[in-house]
Amino acid sequence: MPIQFNQSPGSSGGAGESRTGRPGLVAYLTIGDPDLDASYDIALAAIDAGADVLELGVPFSDPLADGPVIQRASERAVARGVSLTDVLAIAARLRAARPDCGLVLFSYLNPVVRFGQGAGFERFCAAAAAAGIDGVLLTDMIVEEADAYLAAMARHSLAPIFLAAPTSPDARLEKIARVSRGFVYVISRVGITGAQAALEGDAEQLVKRLRRYTDLPLAVGFGISSAEQVEQVGRFADAAVVGSALVAIIEASSREIAAEAVGRFIGGLRPVAALARS
Amino acid sequence: MGTAVDTAVLHQEDSSQGTAGGAASTPGRFGAYGGRYVPETLMAALEELEHAYALAQADPTFQARLDDLLKNYAGRPTPLYFAERMSRELGGARIYLKREDLLHTGAHKINNCIGQGLLAERMGKHRIIAETGAGQHGVATATVCALLGMECVIYMGQEDMQRQELNVYRMRLLGAEVRGVSNGQKTLKDAINEAMRDWVTNVRTTHYLLGSVLGAHPYPTMVRDFHRVIGKEARRQMLEQEGRLPSAVVACVGGGSNAIGAFYDFIADENVQLIGVEAGGRGTGLGEHAARMRGGPGGGSPGILQGTYSYVLQDDAGQISLTHSVSAGLDYPSIGPEHAMLNDAGRAEYRSATDDDALKATVALSRTEGIIPALESAHAIAEAMRIAPTMSPRDILLVNLSGRGDKDLGILTRELKLQGA
Ligand SMILES: Cc1ncc(COP(=O)(O)O)c(C=O)c1O
């Protein structure tokens, strides 16, 4: 099923029957690399090339779940002084320009806690909602620690998105499915972010296990970098997340051509899948 | 003292404040601090570790093996030594040194490494990874891996590999692979990031032998428990030798493992002051020190780093700050969550000693007692030297001498030559 925000879980039919045959595409970008205006242009290009949801990565000094590509992007953006406030400003501009695109804020916890100025998540959630953010994914927030966060997210009708890992036992998957909204992010393999040549069997297994607990769309990410992999994911899940591959293109491109290069790459992720289905 | 904060910030419904008794309100929580803030991929391993640790604690065979190795391999109990000459020269409190420097491998770190090594063995995990700053935890980990026949990979910042070069050779000789980390500031925090990335990738086969009371639950509790023996022994020895308890216990605080180990069995003794000494470095601005508990501009504030909620040196946007200390083992932007609780509860007090203070204390202890302290431990000595003269000869200062200084001879030669000492 396509990713749609602000739907209660279980509000649609079985996952299988509602699948469109065209996997959704979620694009991750580290915002502020190479700079804020460039990120805005790149994000627009990604949306226009077919990304259904954008994950706006907040640069952090210590991205311990990320591989070298996103680490370097984050480091460059931190060095430029890019903050959560800047990312929210970019989100607001994107929301004004592309009202229908899904916008997910993707961050480590500390910048978000700091933004709260010692008073929890209220200020952050209010600002995120005002910027037109649909959902939030906090890399190092687990469900057991999330009560106050979930309450604030609910007050502002924001979708909390959690990660599910191949190592998560069923009891954890059940909890993750219960509190997630929008979609569940399925980690394709045990490891950090970064491209890989082939998709491991972990992802399909995990999707099957999660399906027992939720009808929410399931987006598979970590290491997806080709049209073949997107198509492969489309056979068993609702969406593919492409991250490091985009960030690597941005790193390798000059500022002037980065948006076009990202747009072209995203455009190229779709045809194989679309053809295979038609 | 750190800044006053709303400590219930992350758990609004959990308004229970930490008590000074050292008991966490929920497992893994120290007042509002601690917790588990990690990528989901690690959660199963943390739950497994918590469970395995609980079983091991209740298993007399495990405890017997641990006690045997601590005694016959590591050299426990360590002496409690009255530093008579130093006390006399300072004129004031009687200074006692808890000699963790005499342990096998030269620092308290081995207490925790033996414990976690045996635990990893029980869990059937034969690949061990660890971070190290000063190299003492890396050496202790490599040692235990050699002893138990386990594969060992140590992550160490390249800056630290240079300043603690001797320990790099020791680890390699012991059969460990030392992987240099060139990210960020190339020190302890960056080594932990890299170790966490390895763990996220190899979690099914690997145990992360974290070296201080940091990280996600159960580490801060478990590592504390393995170091509790320091304070337990010292308290008993103090009663045997002096017939009374000390006025204060003083320990240096990097992540805080030697300090919590020394403090823990004195927490209930309300008349015993607990003093943690952080790295004051070379200035008070962000980036020039590692005094996380110091409030005000350039000081620390509550935040989340590497799995736990505690005091953190950070900027207004929540980016973690650079730090500086002449001692690699104290050069870290956060502090164990139990220390954050003890600080807020007013049960322990956190002060700092500068690079200069630590270097002077190193020379002083070397020349009055013939004991060369690790630069980390020298921070505690410096604070003891500062306060002893203000105290009465009836007062007793118990200083935890967490390690020996052989590893620092390179830095000492350079720094002391500059000072003409
Ligand atoms: C001798 C010694 N003391 C103290 C420390 C600081 O660690 P902690 O605060 O965990 O005791 C280290 C760390 O490397 C050390 O080697």
Side-chain angles (χ1 to χ4, degrees):
Chain A
M1 97 181 71
I3 295 171
Q4 277 180 317
F5 288 98
N6 297 328
Q7 261 189 345
S8 58
S11 65
S12 61
E17 63 198 49
S18 60
R19 216 162 285 159
T20 59
R22 180 177 178 272
L25 206 54
V26 179
Y28 168 91
L29 299 169
T30 302
I31 301 302
D33 176 48
D35 61 60
L36 286 168
D37 283 333
S39 288
Y40 175 75
D41 293 341
I42 293 165
L44 277 189
I47 297 167
D48 294 343
D52 305 296
V53 175
L54 279 191
E55 289 180 345
L56 307 176
V58 177
F60 182 50
S61 53
D62 295 84
L64 56 78
D66 283 299
V69 171
I70 294 178
Q71 282 176 46
R72 288 196 299 269
S74 201
E75 196 175 324
R76 288 189 293 267
V78 169
R80 303 184 71 91
V82 174
S83 67
L84 173 55
T85 307
D86 297 320
V87 178
L88 290 173
I90 293 288
R93 286 174 66 192
L94 288 169
R95 173 53 71 225
R98 298 291 183 274
D100 296 329
C101 179
L103 292 180
V104 170
L105 192 104
F106 195 105
S107 184
Y108 287 84
L109 195 43
N110 199 53
V112 167
V113 168
R114 185 69 175 175
F115 191 90
Q117 299 181 338
F121 294 92
E122 182 55 32
R123 183 168 180 261
F124 163 73
C125 289
I133 292 283
D134 298 301
V136 177
L137 197 163
L138 299 175
T139 322
D140 44 0
M141 175 64 101
I142 56 162
V143 285
E144 288 84 348
E145 303 283 5
D147 292 354
Y149 164 66
L150 289 173
M153 291 287 283
R155 280 196 294 279
H156 293 277
S157 303
L158 290 165
I161 295 155
F162 285 86
L163 299 159
T167 48
S168 309
D170 287 352
R172 296 194 58 77
L173 293 183
E174 190 177 0
K175 286 192 232 175
I176 288 164
R178 191 165 50 220
V179 298
S180 292
R181 299 288 181 272
F183 64 95
V184 181
Y185 190 128
V186 176
I187 301 177
S188 71
R189 62 175 150 80
V190 176
I192 52 178
T193 61
Q196 63 184 349
L199 211 56
E200 291 168 19
D202 278 351
E204 190 166 355
Q205 271 304 317
L206 178 53
V207 165
K208 277 199 189 118
R209 289 200 291 133
L210 255 174
R211 270 287 166 243
R212 297 212 292 271
Y213 307 111
T214 183
D215 289 335
L216 281 175
L218 302 180
V220 175
F222 276 36
I224 293 175
S225 59
S226 70
E228 290 71 25
Q229 288 170 328
V230 171
E231 194 220 327
Q232 207 184 332
V233 166
R235 287 189 212 128
F236 60 86
D238 303 289
V241 188
V242 183
S244 295
L246 301 179
V247 177
I249 289 169
I250 295 164
E251 181 175 53
S253 308
S254 70
R255 188 187 182 287
E256 288 66 38
I257 65 155
E260 192 202 324
V262 165
R264 200 170 342 107
F265 183 81
I266 289 181
L269 291 174
R270 272 316 198 2
V272 177
L275 283 176
R277 298 282 155 195
S278 56
Chain B
M1 288 285 283
T3 33
V5 288
D6 173 7
T7 48
V9 50
L10 292 179
H11 281 249
Q12 286 157 343
E13 56 287 303
D14 170 18
S15 59
S16 56
Q17 291 287 319
T19 60
S25 46
T26 55
R29 284 261 159 214
F30 303 94
Y33 299 105
R36 260 180 188 163
Y37 300 97
V38 291
E40 173 63 24
T41 304
L42 294 179
M43 275 309 295
L46 288 169
E47 286 174 347
E48 180 195 359
L49 181 61
E50 181 181 19
H51 183 65
Y53 177 55
L55 291 181
Q57 267 184 311
D59 178 356
T61 346
F62 178 87
Q63 290 303 328
R65 184 124 186 264
L66 178 60
D67 290 346
D68 174 63
L69 285 174
L70 286 176
K71 176 165 179 253
N72 298 311
Y73 185 71
R76 300 215 72 92
T78 58
L80 180 69
Y81 167 72
F82 175 42
E84 189 171 2
R85 228 189 121 212
M86 176 172 249
S87 303
R88 198 174 343 112
E89 295 215 348
L90 290 170
R94 295 162 70 78
I95 297 174
Y96 275 82
L97 303 177
K98 179 62 176 163
R99 299 291 308 274
E100 294 297 292
D101 62 315
L102 292 178
L103 282 174
H104 181 42
T105 71
H108 69 290
K109 299 286 182 186
I110 192 88
N111 300 327
N112 169 49
C113 290
I114 293 176
Q116 283 196 51
L118 292 179
L119 201 54
E121 190 179 59
R122 265 175 85 101
M123 291 189 293
K125 296 202 170 175
H126 292 286
R127 180 174 181 269
I128 301 290
I129 57 170
E131 82 296 340
T132 196
Q136 289 303 115
H137 176 60
V139 167
T141 303
T143 297
V144 168
C145 287
L147 178 71
L148 300 177
M150 292 171 163
E151 184 187 342
C152 181
V153 176
I154 303 292
Y155 290 91
M156 188 171 191
Q158 282 175 346
E159 161 79 17
D160 291 340
M161 286 177 75
Q162 273 182 17
R163 54 179 168 170
Q164 308 278 221
E165 196 182 9
L166 200 64
N167 275 342
V168 177
Y169 295 134
R170 290 170 81 196
M171 288 183 264
R172 289 188 172 141
L173 182 62
L174 290 159
E177 182 191 339
V178 181
R179 294 190 184 163
V181 176
S182 58
N183 297 335
Q185 194 178 334
K186 306 178 176 49
T187 55
L188 181 57
K189 177 194 70 155
D190 312 293
I192 296 182
N193 284 337
E194 219 42 49
M196 298 268 293
R197 290 182 186 118
D198 182 315
W199 202 31
V200 169
T201 306
N202 300 299
V203 63
R204 285 169 168 148
T205 59
T206 297
H207 174 66
Y208 181 13
L209 207 162
L210 185 59
S212 193
V213 284
L214 298 167
H217 178 63
Y219 284 103
T221 301
M222 178 177 71
V223 176
R224 176 201 69 205
D225 291 349
F226 287 136
H227 283 301
R228 249 185 94 170
V229 63
I230 303 172
K232 199 178 286 187
E233 277 176 18
R235 192 173 183 283
R236 192 191 68 228
Q237 291 166 320
M238 191 58 91
L239 289 173
E240 280 165 13
Q241 293 177 35
E242 284 274 357
R244 60 204 167 100
L245 294 175
S247 315
V249 182
V250 184
C252 69
V253 189
S257 66
N258 89 88
I260 205 75
F263 290 173
Y264 199 73
D265 277 50
F266 291 99
I267 289 177
D269 301 315
E270 281 172 26
N271 293 328
V272 178
Q273 207 184 347
L274 305 175
I275 302 170
V277 188
E278 302 184 283
R282 59 183 169 215
T284 54
L286 271 182
E288 297 191 296
H289 63 87
R292 293 87 21 130
M293 296 296 209
R294 193 192 288 156
S301 52
I304 286 163
L305 179 64
Q306 295 172 333
T308 194
Y309 181 55
S310 186
Y311 281 85
V312 175
L313 292 166
Q314 57 183 325
D315 69 14
D316 289 340
Q319 306 296 352
I320 308 304
S321 305
L322 302 181
T323 51
H324 165 81
S325 171
V326 69
S327 73
L330 306 187
D331 200 354
Y332 179 73
S334 186
I335 181 168
E338 193 162 10
H339 288 291
M341 179 187 78
L342 292 172
N343 175 74
D344 287 10
R347 180 62 192 93
E349 199 181 317
Y350 296 83
R351 303 174 183 168
S352 61
T354 64
D355 286 356
D356 237 37
D357 298 336
L359 289 163
K360 289 199 175 90
T362 302
V363 176
L365 189 68
S366 301
R367 295 185 185 170
T368 55
E369 296 290 346
I371 297 171
I372 303 173
L375 275 171
E376 290 77 18
S377 324
H379 286 71
I381 301 291
E383 177 61 14
M385 288 172 60
R386 197 181 67 79
I387 60 176
T390 70
M391 299 168 82
S392 110
R394 287 245 346 124
D395 284 318
I396 301 169
L397 273 180
L398 168 59
V399 183
N400 193 33
L401 191 62
S402 57
R404 68 178 191 227
D406 311 43
K407 69 186 177 63
D408 296 318
L409 288 182
I411 304 174
L412 288 171
T413 313
R414 198 170 58 242
E415 297 286 336
L416 296 177
K417 203 174 284 163
L418 290 177
Q419 296 189 352

